[in-house]
Structures are given as structure tokens and as C-alpha cells.
Amino acid sequence: MTWIDDYTNAMMKSAPTPGALLTRGEGCYVWDADGNRYLDLLGGIAVNVLGHAHPFLVSAVTAQLATLGHVSNFFTTPNQVGLAERLLELLDAPPGSAVFFANSGTEANEAAFKLSRRTGRTGLVAAEAGFHGRTMGALALTHKPAYREPFEPLPGNVVHVPFGDLDALDQAIDQHTAAVFLEPIQGEAGVRTPPPGYLSAARERTRAAGALLVLDEIQTGMGRTGAWFAHQLPAVLGAGEAPVVPDVVTVAKGLGGGIPIGALVALGPEAAGLLSAGQHGSTFGGNPVATAAGLATLHVIERDGLLANATSTGDHLAAAIDSLAEPLISGVRGHGLLRAIQFSQPVAGATARHLLTAGFIVNAVAPDALRLAPPLILTTDQADTFVAALPAALAAAAKEIS
Ligand code: PLP
């Protein structure tokens, strides 16, 4: 029996077959059970912002677990309030703003979906190719038919519009619209940035219609793109655009550096007041260990200048891939350390497989695109080892499709 047989016998077949049995991690590397080392350029799907087994995160989490591990939402803890305050600061939140803690991205969006219903309206607008999670409400916002159709009927009144198309957004928003849900950069769609000015215009249109603007920063937040949140990035907003203040921001993934946590941040008293006592809750949400992880992660990002590192290493990586001048590579998209390599042929799956064999973890986010979402501590030297390995993996993949 191999580990894959054990996996197959014990695990539900809802996920793709795993690529390796991983047993250990340190920094940007993980090791499998046979001792093979991999440079982790996926970071647990944009989660491990501090890499693996980061000493500060490990000590914060273990110290908290040894002191007070869980209390339920009948009580609060200094960490919970501290992390909420920190998130409000990072979002430059106006007075009256407030945080709800969940345990994952889909739960943060589920909370936002419920909050939107408290406007008294039920219409929702989301983007084509957008991804917001897999629980029923979040799934209704997610666009991909293969994810949605087996579970229909989903909670209703969601209209999907082409991402980045202002006219389509205008036509979809009316007096029944409770909220517009958008990713500032679409992650699962292959790292797609909307045209400059799109988010500002979405803000303007939602405000005029009395609808909420919900920005899903689950994949793009916590420094991933070189700013704390992608909607704060001038390259995403558009040059000269005023800052966008959404009504709700949802976060998860990188927030806990690998410990499950999600959050909904409601900006301003109106959005923050929509859910009243007893209308939403979570047993684990914002527990002392998860919020210790959140505080530790934010502390290290700031202390070690990881926003700047995400920008400089991300730019270096993109330039180095470009300079390969590989005929199969048609471009590199994204910002900071959220990138996609676009191919002119559907070689992403095979390339990812060959890269894994060569010791690099990446993700075929589409048949013709690879996604990179590595730890924000990635160095340029580590990035260069990947760039050096890419041509051989690509050549092997190209052979398979020829
Ligand atoms: N929203 C976005 C933009 C995501 O990328 C994801 C996960 O990939 C989610 C929501 C769902 O998060 P989770 O898998 O933690 O439920």
C-alpha cells in the first residue's frame, strides 16, 4: 500500500488527487515523506504569507494555546478585540465600523450575504468568473457552472456580469440590488485585474443605487499584492483615482498565516449596524488562538517589510519570466506575489506536473495559465531557481501536447 492508496481508502473524492504527501515545512520550502524538497510557490493557495513554521507565528500560537485556547462567542478575549482593531486600522475604517470573525473565506462571504439581506433588498450582483467560496450562499455568488450546477437551487437573486464591464454593471444594478460582490483582482479566474477606474465607478454606482459594495479580499488581501489590500493599490484603482471605501471587505487565507480564520469588516455605522444580536454567529469565530495567529502574522508582515518584499520580489519574478522569451509564454499578469503566467497553449497542467517533479509547487489555475502565490518572504534567489527550471518543464509539457 502506498500513501495514495491510504488516501483513496480514507478520504472523500471531493478534492483533486493530491500531488504529494507533505510532512514538514520551513520558510518557503516543504518536504514530502520521502525527503524530497519543494519550493512552495503556491503557499497553501495564497495562505502561508510567512512561509512554513515561522518561529514568531509558532510561538504566538503555542503560547496562546497553552494559556487560553477557546472561549466561544459568549465571551471575548484581548486578541479578538486587538485583531479587530488592527484590521480596522489597516482599512482606514471610519468611526462606527466593526468586524465579525469567521473561520474561512466562504464563511466570511456567507456572513456578507446574510448582512446584505438586512438591507431589505435581495438582489445581488457578482462577476463572471468570480470565486467567492463553496457554501450555499457563497456558491450562489461564485460563477463557475461546474461548481454551481450540481447544487442548484442556490439562494436566489444573483446576477453575474462580465468583470470589468461598467455598462453591464450599470444595467444590473437597480433599486432591488442589496449588494455588489467583487474581487479587486480575480484570483481563481487566473489573476485578472479590472480596468483602472472600475472599482471607483462600482463604488459610485452602488452608492447612488443605495446598494452595498462588498470587496472580497480573501485571496488578494494581507499584503499579497504589495498593499495590505488590493483595492488600495494604485495600479488596481487607477492613477489619480480617490481611495475606494467599500461597505464591506471580506478577508481570510493569509490573515492567520495558516491557522484558519476569516473576517468580515463592515465599514461605517450603516453597514456595521445591519446585523443585530443573535442574527449571525460562530462557535469558533475569532477564537484566541486564531486571532493570536492573525496578530502575529500582521506583526511580522509589518516588522519585516513584507509588503515591499512582495512588490520587489514579485516584479523581479515577472521580469525574469518575461526575459526567458519563451515562445509558449504570452505574458505574466498580477501584482506583488499574486501572479499568473499565461501560455499560448493549454500546457499549464503538464507544466505544473513537471515542475513538481523538479521540486516546485505551482498551480494550474486554468488549462493555459499557472498561478504563483508564494509566501511573502520569498527571496529573489529562490524566485530565480524557479525561473531557471521553467523552460525544461515547459518543453516537457509541450512535447506531451504535440
Ligand atoms: N473568495 C476568494 C476570492 C477566494 O479566492 C476563496 C478561496 O480560494 C474564497 C473566497 C473561499 O475561501 P475558503 O476556501 O477559505 O472558504
Side-chain angles (χ1 to χ4, degrees):
M1 291 274 274
T2 63
W3 65 266
I4 199 91
D5 297 320
D6 294 339
Y7 174 88
T8 309
N9 289 336
M11 294 288 293
M12 198 171 275
K13 311 296 174 291
S14 55
T17 308
L21 177 67
L22 300 178
T23 53
R24 186 166 75 83
E26 192 183 326
C28 291
Y29 295 99
V30 290
W31 283 261
D32 69 17
D34 297 325
N36 299 308
R37 189 183 80 164
Y38 304 87
L39 181 65
D40 185 2
L41 294 162
L42 184 58
I45 321 182
V47 167
N48 299 304
V49 287
L50 305 185
H52 298 274
H54 192 286
F56 193 89
L57 179 59
V58 171
S59 89
V61 166
T62 49
Q64 186 57 52
L65 189 57
T67 308
L68 182 67
H70 176 75
V71 297
S72 91
N73 58 352
F74 289 134
F75 299 93
T76 189
T77 62
N79 286 352
Q80 185 179 73
V81 178
L83 184 59
E85 289 173 347
R86 200 68 195 97
L87 285 171
L88 293 171
E89 267 168 29
L90 296 179
L91 280 159
D92 212 0
S97 302
V99 176
F100 171 82
F101 282 115
N103 312 287
S104 65
T106 198
E107 282 177 70
N109 284 335
E110 206 66 36
F113 192 122
K114 282 182 72 177
L115 179 140
S116 79
R117 286 276 167 98
R118 301 300 303 153
T119 61
R121 302 177 179 189
T122 59
L124 293 172
V125 180
E128 288 177 7
F131 185 83
H132 298 287
R134 308 255 204 168
T135 52
M136 294 299 266
L139 188 57
L141 296 161
T142 291
H143 180 248
K144 195 170 174 170
Y147 293 163
R148 300 166 55 85
E149 282 168 2
F151 304 101
E152 287 173 345
L154 296 168
N157 276 351
V158 183
V159 174
H160 289 96
V161 294
F163 186 56
D165 180 337
L166 254 189
D167 290 341
L169 193 61
D170 267 341
Q171 278 169 29
I173 298 175
D174 62 22
Q175 75 276 20
H176 305 295
T177 306
V180 173
F181 280 72
L182 293 172
E183 296 163 81
I185 298 173
Q186 289 190 323
E188 298 302 304
V191 189
R192 304 216 174 248
T193 302
Y198 180 67
L199 293 181
S200 310
R203 172 67 288 183
E204 195 185 287
R205 309 296 205 275
T206 44
R207 187 170 285 131
L212 302 171
L213 177 65
V214 181
L215 292 185
D216 177 340
E217 290 262 15
I218 287 161
Q219 185 158 158
T220 50
M222 313 334 300
R224 168 102 353 241
T225 65
W228 282 108
F229 299 96
H231 76 270
Q232 298 170 335
L233 204 62
V236 172
L237 269 180
E241 293 287 344
V244 165
V245 183
D247 299 293
V248 172
V249 175
T250 53
V251 289
K253 287 197 184 276
L255 177 58
I259 298 293
I261 184 168
L264 173 160
V265 186
L267 297 171
E270 271 187 40
L274 284 169
L275 284 172
S276 50
Q279 287 185 336
H280 198 49
S282 164
T283 298
F284 290 118
N287 89 22
V289 174
T291 47
L295 283 166
T297 302
L298 297 183
H299 173 76
V300 175
I301 293 175
E302 197 159 45
R303 184 195 69 186
D304 294 354
L306 297 185
L307 301 188
N309 190 63
T311 304
S312 57
T313 308
D315 287 347
H316 172 90
L317 180 62
I321 295 167
D322 270 341
S323 70
L324 288 174
E326 276 286 335
L328 273 172
I329 297 179
S330 47
V332 183
R333 285 192 294 272
H335 297 279
L337 285 170
L338 182 60
R339 300 280 176 168
I341 307 173
Q342 181 66 47
F343 303 120
S344 53
Q345 300 281 329
V347 289
T351 304
R353 201 164 14 86
H354 289 290
L355 281 166
L356 188 70
T357 308
F360 299 92
I361 295 177
V362 298
N363 163 247
V365 71
D368 58 355
L370 280 186
R371 172 177 45 177
L372 309 174
L376 306 185
I377 58 170
L378 187 78
T379 65
T380 51
D381 285 351
Q382 289 168 335
D384 287 344
T385 63
F386 162 72
V387 177
L390 186 54
L394 206 44
K399 239 188 224 158
E400 284 182 29
I401 64 156
S402 65

